[in-house]
Structure formats: structure tokens, C-alpha cells
Amino acid sequence: MRRLILAFGLIAIAAPASAQAPNRGNQELQTNCAGDAITFCAGIDPNSPQMDACFKKNMSQMSPNCRRAIDAYKAAGGK
């Protein structure tokens, strides 16, 4: 339940930013990494290079599902 609330919070935070910049990533990343983004990278624009740096810095602490989603995204050619 807590993850669901956190995921909706991330969507609410990201909505204004997505109007300014194209969405990055894919649905699997957004679904599996929303809680990690809030936990480790709160306050950072999800569409920014700073979010990438935050995820890279905290990769060892990310949830297994988020790490799998990131690996799959990179394997498919995502940055």
C-alpha cells in the first residue's frame, strides 16, 4: 500500500515536469522505480540528467525490481 501511495506521489510530482520536457524511460521503469525515486532522489526532476546521476549513485540500494527494470531498459537501447 505504501508503494502505491509513493507511486501516485511521484506521478503528481512528475506531471508538471512532464509538460516541460519529454518523458524519459518507459512504463516498466516508472512502475518499478517510482518508490525508489522518491526514497533516494526526492525533489529531482524525473526527466533530468540529475535523476540519472542519483539513480547511478544509489543503484546498490535500489529495489531488485527497479534494478531489473533499469537493466532491461539499458539492454533495449535506453540510456
Side-chain angles (χ1 to χ4, degrees):
M1 182 67 166
R2 182 176 177 205
R3 282 187 178 248
L4 183 61
I5 292 169
L6 292 175
F8 284 122
L10 179 63
I11 292 167
I13 292 168
S18 66
Q20 299 168 5
N23 286 331
R24 297 171 60 193
N26 60 24
Q27 186 62 44
E28 186 177 344
L29 278 173
Q30 293 171 8
T31 299
N32 290 301
C33 297
D36 294 292
I38 290 172
T39 300
F40 300 108
C41 308
I44 299 174
D45 178 357
N47 294 313
S48 72
Q50 290 81 15
M51 181 62 80
D52 296 341
C54 181
F55 265 58
K56 186 175 181 178
K57 175 183 171 190
N58 294 292
M59 184 61 74
S60 66
Q61 299 175 59
M62 297 287 175
S63 67
N65 286 340
C66 182
R67 288 194 307 262
R68 278 192 289 275
I70 291 169
D71 290 343
Y73 180 71
K74 287 180 180 178
K79 293 185 177 185

